[in-house]
Amino acid sequence: MVTAITQIVFGLIVLVALLVLYRIAQKFLNSPILKTVQPLEVPLKREVYCDAEIYRIIIRLKYELYALKVFIGRYHDGGIFANGLRMKKFTITHETAGGGDKPMMDIFVGTMNSRYCIAFEGLIAQEIFCVSDIEDCVDLNLRDDMRKYGFKALYLFLIRQRNGIEEGFLGIGFRETTVLSEEQRDVVREQIGHILDLINLREM
């Protein structure tokens, strides 16, 4: 009788110990520290490769179109207003050298979309926003920033995901008034398709 009770007690102790170990293991596996200690080699290589390919594309566009600067901006959420609505922002993620004293990537980080609301309205409706001459720019905020970067002309092309979501835009700034031909615009659109594929591959 005593032996049976002893075995039962021993079994309960073992069960409790196993439950405690299970809880500890769960906490450890879900800890932020462990989550950061993941094999980063493959994703990091993919990210760097995709960024390098995107950079090569915009460099090529810059020289083929005789542009001052080519850059990419991406839309994203950015905080919540007091009424619970999400803020809509954009960030410049890639750019070529040239134009302005400071890189756009240092300035346009989490910038409210409302800064260029007129330009973005046209961009989303037409998939392109053209300013062939700075004096004709109807978005006054954009016109001021064009002057800062030495742009006399600016073209924004929409980057749209294949499911219809607006991903961002590709911008091309020129030091002289410039009118892109339809053929040149088609070249840009083709390259945007490659850029979109690289963006999606980068973030798989």
Side-chain angles (χ1 to χ4, degrees):
M1 182 70 178
V2 175
T3 304
I5 294 173
T6 303
Q7 288 178 340
I8 291 171
V9 171
F10 179 74
L12 288 172
I13 292 172
V14 170
L15 181 61
V16 170
L18 288 172
L19 285 171
V20 170
L21 287 172
Y22 174 73
R23 293 291 181 146
I24 291 172
Q26 265 192 326
K27 287 184 178 180
F28 178 70
L29 289 172
N30 292 326
S31 70
I33 294 174
L34 184 65
K35 286 180 178 177
T36 61
V37 186
Q38 297 293 336
L40 296 175
E41 185 178 359
V42 175
L44 185 58
K45 280 183 179 178
R46 184 171 63 230
E47 180 180 315
V48 171
Y49 164 78
C50 292
D51 282 337
E53 287 299 306
I54 290 171
Y55 185 69
R56 290 185 185 101
I57 289 173
I58 61 177
I59 278 284
R60 193 160 56 245
L61 282 174
K62 174 182 176 179
Y63 288 107
E64 286 180 0
L65 299 175
Y66 303 100
L68 179 58
K69 181 185 283 290
V70 180
F71 54 93
I72 294 172
R74 296 181 65 188
Y75 297 123
H76 56 87
D77 289 335
I80 299 176
F81 289 109
N83 63 1
L85 293 178
R86 288 190 173 278
M87 301 177 188
K88 299 299 181 182
K89 299 184 176 183
F90 73 92
T91 292
I92 301 299
T93 58
H94 302 80
E95 68 175 312
T96 62
D101 297 329
K102 292 184 178 180
M104 298 177 82
M105 290 171 63
D106 291 350
I107 304 298
F108 298 99
V109 179
T111 304
M112 295 293 294
N113 288 352
S114 55
R115 182 185 182 104
Y116 302 139
C117 56
I118 302 297
F120 286 162
E121 180 184 38
L123 175 65
I124 291 171
Q126 304 293 327
E127 298 194 348
I128 187 171
F129 183 79
C130 311
V131 181
S132 56
D133 186 331
I134 187 172
E135 299 305 324
D136 297 330
C137 184
V138 295
D139 190 317
L140 300 185
N141 287 335
L142 182 61
R143 186 169 68 184
D144 285 347
D145 286 336
M146 285 177 65
R147 287 199 175 99
K148 292 176 186 175
Y149 284 92
F151 299 158
K152 294 292 181 64
L154 177 68
Y155 284 73
L156 300 177
F157 290 81
L158 186 66
I159 302 175
R160 194 193 296 274
Q161 288 285 356
R162 290 173 178 84
N163 61 5
I165 294 175
E166 292 82 13
E167 177 69 35
F169 53 89
L170 182 142
I172 308 174
F174 297 90
R175 59 169 52 88
E176 302 294 340
T177 56
T178 302
V179 177
L180 291 180
S181 68
E182 196 57 42
E183 183 180 354
Q184 289 173 315
R185 297 182 190 194
D186 286 341
V187 168
V188 175
R189 293 185 184 104
E190 181 181 356
Q191 295 306 314
I192 284 175
H194 298 319
I195 289 170
L196 182 59
D197 289 339
L198 288 164
I199 286 173
N200 291 334
L201 176 62
R202 181 185 188 275
E203 295 168 10
M204 282 179 61

